[in-house]
Amino acid sequence: MDTTKNRWLIALSAIAIHLSIGGAYAYSVYTYPISESMGWSATEVTIAFTIMMALAGTSAAFFGKFVERSGPRKSAIVAAILFGIGQAGSGVAIMVESLPLFLLTYGVASGLGLGIGYISPVSTLVKWFPDRRGLATGMAVLGFGTGALITAPVAANLMSTIGISTTFFLLGACYFVFMIMGAAYIAPPPEGWMPASMKRNIASGKKVIKKDLQQLTSKEAVKTKRFWMLWTMMLINTTAGIMMISVASPMAQEVVGLSAAAAATMVGIMGIFNGGGRLGWAAISDYIGRPNVFIIFFSIQIVAFLTLPFITSILVFQLLILLVVSCYGGGFSNLPAFVGDLFGTKQLGAIHGYLLTTWSLGGVFGPMIVSQIRERTDSYIPVFYVFSALIILAFIVSIMMKLDIRKSEQDLKQREQQQVVS
């Protein structure tokens, strides 16, 4: 096993992969140009994005074991091929004016590549950063969020100068190259590897290794109550975040009278908070622990959702929305590290994949709940109360999770003390 690899370059490789697949989140810039040039309805064009997002979470779950078995390099190469074909193939679909081919390429191929590419580097990063798990996964997932911010203006520029098809060809090729470059360097560390600084701190007594609660396979993990508590927490956090992202602009305009231009600016700032929350909350979790971070997430959101119906200040309303979005991003970046804490790194990628089914479900439930409530009540206010109830449930589950972890840690400590005595 090559021990000369630099872990920060490993992190950079993971970011290159996530930056590329994150470009898929810029899909909205394609909607109107494709609709106008092809004569397809906006709804038909949007189906491709829906398919891609549905497959992203499910493919992460379905191919999790493949990622663990094949390793990060092969998995990332497969993801690069699928995602590259999906993006470049979309250009072919536009050239031949075939909606079914567009759904197959951008929807199916890109969705499969997105799911596999998302989980490919994560378990490797956790192993390279045993001292800073949260920061490591936060960097990669920040790359995923940043991908859309970079791609959106670039794609819009390219479409106006070289056309839609050529834009897909060029971006597809760029995504493929970046992902292959990331895949070429990424590799797991030797078993039990630790950075030199961590070894010195342990030897001097400055640092005590905090052991993972268990080392479980994915089959064993899904049979535990901790898995389903974490799944519930992620589902509610994701559903609330995607709901807010999907209607933030019209909601702010209706509830506090924000202008359309100001609402558009707010949506852009939401992207920054989404990305910043991924890195910031993940880094904080290394110091205060993943259970505490999730408790903070739900505490913030309870206050936000219960307060939003009564807010008249435009600035405070926007601030609360931005905080909710930061918690949404933070949930994704903390998840891989939390999985490692609870279930170990034996099959982290597979377990992470199973938990990402909440990504697909949240993407369906969030917009569906808010649209149904808005349609039936002609107001966004009831939405806040419905999500307050859901967040309170998630808060209770997060407290139960913390208590369960504390009990397990105490039991583990007692067993170790008994072994020392015997």
Side-chain angles (χ1 to χ4, degrees):
M1 178 70 69
D2 185 4
T3 59
T4 63
K5 286 187 180 290
N6 185 301
R7 65 175 181 161
W8 294 102
L9 291 180
I10 293 285
L12 191 61
S13 300
I15 291 170
I17 295 168
H18 272 225
L19 267 174
S20 301
I21 59 176
Y25 261 58
Y27 185 77
S28 60
V29 300
Y30 299 116
T31 305
Y32 286 126
I34 291 174
S35 181
E36 289 171 3
S37 63
M38 295 293 102
W40 303 336
S41 70
T43 302
E44 288 175 323
V45 177
T46 305
I47 290 173
F49 183 75
T50 305
I51 293 171
M52 181 186 69
M53 291 311 301
L55 278 175
T58 52
S59 65
F62 188 76
F63 289 102
K65 287 185 178 179
F66 165 78
V67 171
E68 288 295 339
R69 187 170 59 250
S70 304
R73 181 172 297 159
K74 288 182 181 178
S75 304
I77 290 172
V78 170
I81 293 169
L82 285 169
F83 194 74
I85 288 174
Q87 296 295 299
S90 299
V92 176
I94 297 298
M95 284 184 68
V96 300
E97 300 183 12
S98 171
L99 178 60
L101 182 59
F102 185 72
L103 299 179
L104 185 65
T105 52
Y106 201 101
V108 177
S110 294
L112 291 172
L114 175 57
I116 298 171
Y118 190 91
I119 61 173
S120 290
V122 169
S123 60
T124 301
L125 270 182
V126 169
K127 291 169 186 174
W128 276 105
F129 288 82
D131 52 336
R132 305 184 78 178
R133 281 180 174 178
L135 175 64
T137 55
M139 286 189 292
V141 181
L142 171 62
F144 183 79
T146 308
L149 293 177
I150 296 173
T151 297
V154 171
N157 237 346
L158 288 173
M159 283 189 289
S160 63
T161 54
I162 62 176
I164 300 172
S165 292
T166 312
T167 296
F168 276 121
F169 294 148
L170 181 59
L171 289 179
C174 289
Y175 295 144
F176 177 78
V177 170
F178 274 107
M179 293 177 76
I180 290 295
M181 287 171 61
Y185 191 80
I186 201 165
E191 187 72 29
W193 180 89
M194 284 188 290
S197 59
M198 189 176 179
K199 288 180 180 178
R200 286 195 299 271
N201 288 336
I202 292 170
S204 64
K206 288 182 181 178
K207 188 176 183 69
V208 178
I209 297 180
K210 187 175 181 180
K211 294 182 179 179
D212 300 328
L213 287 182
Q214 292 175 291
Q215 289 291 333
L216 302 181
T217 64
S218 56
K219 280 186 179 180
E220 292 168 338
V222 296
K223 294 176 183 177
T224 66
K225 63 181 179 181
R226 287 193 198 108
F227 175 91
W228 292 106
M229 284 193 284
L230 185 53
W231 189 91
T232 302
M233 289 155 56
M234 276 301 298
L235 177 62
I236 294 174
N237 193 60
T238 304
T239 302
I242 292 178
M243 177 281 293
M244 193 63 82
I245 290 170
S246 69
V247 297
S249 177
M251 177 186 284
Q253 291 178 63
E254 180 181 308
V255 177
V256 291
L258 200 65
S259 68
T265 301
M266 182 190 71
V267 170
I269 297 172
M270 284 170 64
I272 297 172
F273 270 74
N274 183 1
R278 290 167 190 258
L279 183 60
W281 286 117
I284 290 170
S285 75
D286 285 330
Y287 297 96
I288 67 172
R290 258 65 71 175
N292 290 329
V293 166
F294 272 88
I295 290 171
I296 292 171
F297 286 165
F298 299 129
S299 299
I300 289 172
Q301 291 179 81
I302 287 171
V303 172
F305 281 113
L306 288 177
T307 306
L308 281 168
F310 307 102
I311 295 295
T312 55
S313 167
I314 290 175
L315 184 62
V316 174
F317 190 88
Q318 292 180 90
L319 178 61
L320 291 174
I321 287 178
L322 294 173
L323 284 172
V324 170
V325 171
S326 81
C327 294
Y328 164 75
F332 280 111
S333 61
N334 273 282
L335 180 60
F338 209 168
V339 170
D341 295 344
L342 297 177
F343 309 113
T345 57
K346 184 188 291 187
Q347 290 192 357
L348 190 151
I351 301 168
H352 184 213
Y354 287 151
L355 286 161
L356 284 176
T357 53
T358 58
W359 186 13
S360 294
L361 291 173
V364 174
F365 291 155
M368 183 180 70
I369 292 171
V370 69
S371 63
Q372 286 293 317
I373 293 174
R374 175 68 180 78
E375 188 178 313
R376 296 186 183 192
T377 65
D378 198 32
S379 171
Y380 283 111
I381 299 301
V383 173
F384 301 134
Y385 295 120
V386 170
F387 276 89
S388 292
L390 290 173
I391 296 296
I392 289 170
L393 171 62
F395 177 77
I396 293 169
V397 174
S398 68
I399 294 292
M400 291 169 60
M401 173 73 90
K402 181 175 173 60
L403 294 174
D404 184 71
I405 291 171
R406 183 182 294 172
K407 183 178 182 303
S408 295
E409 287 175 340
Q410 290 172 346
D411 292 344
L412 183 63
K413 194 176 292 184
Q414 286 176 354
R415 286 197 296 271
E416 289 176 345
Q417 289 173 346
Q418 288 172 354
Q419 287 174 356
V420 170
V421 172
S422 60

